[in-house]
Each structure stands twice: as structure tokens, then as C-alpha cells.
Amino acid sequence: MKTIVANFKMNPSSEKEAINLFQIYQKNFKKFNHLNLIIAPPFVYLNKAKNFNFSFAAQNCFYKNEGAYTGEISPLMLKNLGVKYVIIGHSERRQLGETDELINKKIQAVLDNNLIPILCIGETKEERIDGKKEEILKNQLEKDLNLEDDLIKKSEILIAYEPVWAIGTGNFCNPEEANLTHQFIKDFMNSHFLDLNYKLLYGGSVDSQNIKSFLDQSEIDGVLVGGASIKKEELVKILEIANSY
Ligand code: PGA
């Protein structure tokens, strides 16, 4: 069974459209339910999302449970709302200034609240050209998952390998290369975080045309879909294909 994360990003612009998308997911998830479907809408629609019967993710959160942090949303609030997953460290947030230190605090807070983080890691185009991909991934994993042993042992996490150059560009990673990168991440996780229960997703310009070539790979447990996840015809095809694994 594969995992599909639908990251709506900062879309759609009205609640009505968001509910319409949830309804389309719901209808198709009834037909194609042999998959772990996680929808990540903007915060303001999460309260509506909880009325549907698939899992929901927030796209970010703060690292404290309450207090004087204007504009932030806490993991405890998300938990109390019935949210199960939180995307942390998406490259679009790293580009806005999120550091690995901040991401690590958020991962810790999410796990402390018994939520499941979807940690995004990946190299930029320049880092790839410079031959630094593996070094970057190792560095992000080491820093982002710098957690107490006890927390590691009892935790579950999804890791999304998302090459930054492939996100929102239509220029997706070659699936065989993504598989080798996943193998690299698995080897690193097994030598550094043996007790952590994790699954590995690929993200970056996944659509109905290329999803099969990713899900066919031995080390790819699922995909994180951005742009295509809010296109009605695309999302139906994506669910249908993922359902067949
Ligand atoms: P994309 O986004 O599918 O539009 O490339 C992926 C993501 O949300 O990281």
C-alpha cells in the first residue's frame, strides 16, 4: 500500500473551492482506498477538512504548544483539531529562512504531541551540480532528526525526498535516480537512526503521467504531490494509479 500526500500549498483561495476539492477526494477515495491518503490544505481549511474520512496534514507549525507567538499555530492546537500529520521543512519554507535548527525544534514538538512529521529534505540545483547532493541530505537528516533516543524509539515519521530543482518545475527527477537516492537515505537512516520507524516518499513535479514510474521503484513508499493535487482530473488519475499497488 502506497502513501500519497496531497500538498495544496497556498491554494485554493476560498473555502468553497477547498470543500469542493475535499469532496472530490472523498468520492474517489471511496473507490480507490487501497492507499494511505493524506491531504495537506492551508490551516484555515483544516477545520472543514476534519469532517472527511481521510487523514489530514498541516503544512507547518510552531515548536511551542502555547504562548505569546503572534501568527503561529501550535502542534497541540493541531492535535486537538484531529490533525494527524504535519509537513515540516518544506523547501518553500526553507527558502523563506527556516534553518535546520528550527526544523529540528519543530520535529521534536510535533513528535512530543504524538503527531507524525512529514520531513522534507532535498538538494538545490547548484548543490547537485557541485556534486554535493549526498552531503546535503546527510547534513539535513543529522540536524533535523537530532532527537533523544527515547523519542526516536517510539516515533513514526515520513521523509519526503524532494529535490528543490524538481519542485513546481515540471522537471521531475529520473525515477531510477530517485530510487538510488532513496537507497542512500535508507542506508544512512539504518546506520544513524536504526530505531526510527519511517517511510520514504518522493516529491517534485509528480503527476498522473509519471507517478507510476516512481511507485514502481523498490525504495519508494509513496509520493508527495503539489501542483497536480489540486487539479481535479489529475488527482482522480493519481488516486486510481496509486490504488493499484
Ligand atoms: P510539485 O510540489 O508537485 O508542485 O512539484 C511538490 C511539493 O509540494 O513539494
Side-chain angles (χ1 to χ4, degrees):
M1 183 137 99
K2 299 287 187 179
T3 296
I4 306 292
V5 180
N7 177 18
F8 287 10
K9 310 197 184 204
M10 202 173 70
N11 302 293
S13 49
S14 74
E15 185 178 281
K16 198 169 160 224
E17 289 169 276
I19 292 175
N20 185 246
L21 279 169
F22 296 153
Q23 285 166 340
I24 296 170
Y25 272 101
Q26 171 109 324
K27 187 168 148 234
N28 287 283
F29 190 48
K30 278 193 187 141
K31 274 195 277 180
F32 310 122
N33 60 8
H34 186 251
L35 48 100
N36 179 26
L37 177 61
I38 304 167
I39 312 280
F43 285 127
V44 289
Y45 307 135
L46 280 172
N47 206 27
K48 294 287 173 202
K50 69 179 189 187
N51 301 327
F52 293 84
N53 61 4
F54 32 80
S55 301
F56 285 90
Q59 297 177 12
N60 178 34
C61 74
F62 195 54
Y63 59 85
K64 297 269 190 185
N65 279 342
E66 56 193 11
Y69 304 101
T70 303
E72 297 290 349
I73 303 283
S74 84
L76 181 59
M77 291 172 186
L78 296 173
K79 181 178 155 180
N80 288 338
L81 198 64
V83 171
K84 196 168 162 194
Y85 298 87
V86 188
I87 297 176
I88 299 287
H90 193 283
S91 68
E92 287 156 9
R93 297 205 57 81
R94 290 182 191 257
Q95 280 156 15
L96 289 172
E98 279 202 16
T99 61
D100 287 302
E101 288 67 30
L102 181 59
I103 289 164
N104 173 251
K105 284 185 182 175
K106 292 185 175 190
I107 295 270
Q108 204 157 316
V110 166
L111 291 174
D112 281 342
N113 280 285
N114 295 316
L115 297 168
I116 302 174
I118 304 171
L119 170 65
C120 300
I121 57 170
E123 81 287 0
T124 63
K125 187 175 172 192
E126 293 70 33
E127 289 160 347
R128 176 180 159 85
I129 291 168
D130 290 348
K132 290 192 181 145
K133 175 174 80 179
E134 297 190 345
E135 187 188 322
I136 294 294
L137 296 177
K138 260 165 63 175
N139 198 31
Q140 289 176 339
L141 288 169
E142 249 165 21
K143 289 185 173 160
D144 300 349
L145 297 176
N146 181 18
L147 306 163
E148 297 287 332
D149 284 349
D150 284 354
L151 195 55
I152 295 256
K153 278 195 189 117
K154 62 174 192 190
S155 295
E156 188 185 337
I157 176 170
L158 298 179
I159 299 173
Y161 168 57
E162 301 208 301
V164 180
W165 48 270
I167 297 177
T169 58
N171 182 21
F172 58 93
C173 183
N174 174 295
E176 281 83 26
E177 184 190 329
N179 200 43
L180 286 174
T181 307
H182 279 215
Q183 186 61 61
F184 168 80
I185 295 170
K186 282 197 173 176
D187 291 345
F188 182 80
M189 291 300 291
N190 291 342
S191 61
H192 288 71
F193 300 102
L194 188 59
D195 294 325
L196 185 60
N197 176 6
Y198 69 93
K199 282 205 165 79
L200 264 184
L201 315 177
Y202 166 80
S205 295
V206 174
D207 61 19
S208 65
Q209 299 293 310
N210 62 28
I211 185 171
K212 190 171 173 1
S213 60
F214 288 105
L215 296 183
D216 278 344
Q217 303 296 327
S218 58
E219 310 305 324
I220 297 186
D221 304 314
V223 288
L224 192 155
V225 187
S229 75
I230 53 168
K231 293 188 186 138
K232 290 166 196 167
E233 279 169 20
E234 277 289 289
L235 77 86
V236 176
K237 286 185 200 151
I238 285 169
L239 297 188
E240 186 175 359
I241 294 167
N243 183 59
S244 65
Y245 284 81

